[in-house]
């Protein structure tokens, strides 16, 4: 046998006996890179960053996954994430609008309560009797030593003021249901104080100019009436501008008492109405009661007994 046709050189030879050998396995395919790169690059071919770079396997310490993220740190340099555009959190807008609406409602309510002093003063001036006086050469004198008209003016102011305070507290409790609480009570008390002062100043000015004109030009012996005034116009000033008249506190007292009673009778812990579950719709279809469980039938007297062992 010539060396050119030796079994070791045959295409199917096993190199020893010249018989058919097992074909050799194909070379392993190159692994597909996970994060980009060429799929046809053989293993071991350097396709990534060179040694020494932050993302190279040589720069990764022992025990660290080489496939882990090697990009920049996601935490910003100053340690805080940038906020949304505008510089305020998303919840600050609705809360600020809610506070603004609440403040505007309280201020508007305070002004309305103070303006209630206009009809209060007109009614008080209409129902209170005037004090009769007599013109003399020395000036006007009271027609009676102790006229009851002074007490009547104070009494009507207290009765009307207390009723106004009670009605104002009830109206504010029912209308401003979302603003109930200490702030609501403070608003109604301050509003009634302002209404009392406005009613007093308005009521005492009605007819005052005519009285002063008669006082200056009436002949001796003429009789006319003095407009109603609290304490008969005799009172002191506290700090130079606060009149020491207890009747001015009666409307605020009535409002405070009524508002406190309404808060005590409220069935809501926070005084504000809470969302209640919707009532279930009524239906004429009555639910079918479940069928009773079947009980075992009693034994038949003539039935044959089972055989006994």
């Amino acid at each position: 046998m010539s060396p050119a046709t030796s079994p070791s050189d045959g295409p199917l030879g096993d190199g020893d006996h010249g018989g058919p050998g097992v074909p050799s396995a194909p070379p392993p395919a190159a692994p597909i890179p996970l994060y980009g790169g060429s799929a046809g690059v053989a293993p071991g071919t350097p396709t990534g960053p060179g040694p020494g770079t932050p993302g190279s396997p040589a720069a990764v310490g022992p025990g660290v996954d080489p496939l882990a993220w090697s990009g920049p740190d996601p935490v910003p340099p100053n340690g805080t994430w940038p906020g949304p555009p505008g510089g305020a959190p998303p919840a600050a807008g609705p809360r600020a609008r809610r506070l603004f609406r609440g403040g505007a409602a309280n201020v508007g309510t305070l002004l309305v309560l103070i303006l209630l002093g206009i009809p209060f003063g007109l009614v008080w001036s209409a129902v209170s009797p005037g004090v009769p006086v007599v013109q003399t050469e020395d000036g006007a004198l009271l027609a009676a030593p102790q006229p009851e008209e002074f007490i009547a003016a104070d009494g009507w102011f207290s009765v009307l003021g207390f009723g106004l305070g009670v009605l104002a507290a009830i109206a504010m409790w029912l209308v401003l249901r979302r603003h109930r609480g200490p702030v609501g009570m403070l608003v109604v008390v301050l509003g009634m104080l302002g209404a009392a002062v406005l009613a007093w100043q308005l009521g005492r000015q009605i007819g005052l100019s005519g009285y002063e004109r008669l006082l200056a030009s009436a002949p001796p012996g003429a009789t006319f009436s003095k407009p109603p005034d609290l304490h008969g116009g005799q009172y002191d000033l506290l700090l130079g501008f606060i009149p020491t008249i207890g009747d001015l506190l009666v409307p605020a007292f009535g409002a405070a008492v009524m508002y406190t009673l309404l808060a005590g009778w409220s069935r809501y812990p926070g005084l504000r109405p809470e969302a209640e579950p919707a009532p279930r719709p009524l239906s004429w279809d009555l639910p079918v009661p479940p069928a009773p469980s079947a009980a075992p039938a009693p034994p038949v007297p003539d039935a044959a007994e089972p055989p006994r062992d």
Side-chain angles (χ1 to χ4, degrees):
M1 182 179 296
S2 62
T5 60
S6 62
S8 60
D9 296 336
L12 300 178
D14 55 358
D16 295 331
H17 305 287
V22 180
S24 59
I32 300 175
L34 296 179
Y35 299 101
S38 175
V41 180
T45 305
T47 57
T53 59
S56 62
V60 180
V64 181
D65 187 4
L67 299 180
W69 170 254
S70 59
D73 192 359
V75 180
N78 56 357
T80 57
W81 291 100
R95 183 178 181 183
R97 288 193 298 268
R98 185 168 58 254
L99 293 177
F100 176 78
R101 288 195 298 265
N106 291 328
V107 172
T109 304
L110 180 62
L111 295 178
V112 171
L113 292 176
I114 293 176
L115 292 178
L116 290 178
I118 296 177
F120 177 26
L122 295 177
V123 174
W124 173 63
S125 177
V127 299
S128 298
V131 181
V133 295
V134 178
Q135 180 72 355
T136 62
E137 296 181 356
D138 298 333
L141 298 177
L142 296 176
Q146 295 180 354
E148 299 179 355
E149 288 78 8
F150 289 140
I151 302 176
D154 291 358
W156 277 111
F157 191 93
S158 299
V159 171
L160 294 176
F162 188 85
L164 178 63
V166 170
L167 295 178
I170 295 176
M172 185 171 180
W173 180 269
L174 296 178
V175 175
L176 301 179
R177 306 178 66 184
R178 297 184 178 180
H179 303 281
R180 295 174 181 174
V183 178
M185 183 175 179
L186 180 62
V187 169
V188 71
V189 168
L190 293 179
M192 286 297 97
L193 283 176
V197 175
L198 180 60
W200 170 51
Q201 292 296 329
L202 178 63
R204 69 191 298 263
Q205 294 296 329
I206 297 177
L208 184 60
S209 60
Y211 168 75
E212 293 177 350
R213 185 173 59 254
L214 292 175
L215 190 62
S217 61
T223 303
F224 47 92
S225 298
K226 179 183 178 181
D229 198 353
L230 295 180
H231 287 9
Q234 303 296 327
Y235 51 86
D236 298 328
L237 294 178
L238 181 63
L239 301 179
F241 64 96
I242 301 177
T244 57
I245 301 177
D247 297 332
L248 296 178
L249 303 177
V250 174
F253 174 75
V257 170
M258 193 63 208
Y259 202 92
T260 303
L261 292 177
L262 292 174
W265 293 338
S266 177
R267 61 191 180 97
Y268 302 107
L271 302 182
R272 301 174 184 177
E274 302 173 357
E276 298 181 356
R280 300 180 60 181
L282 299 178
S283 175
W284 294 104
D285 298 335
L286 298 178
V288 179
S293 58
V300 182
D302 298 339
E305 298 182 359
R308 300 180 179 178
D309 296 339

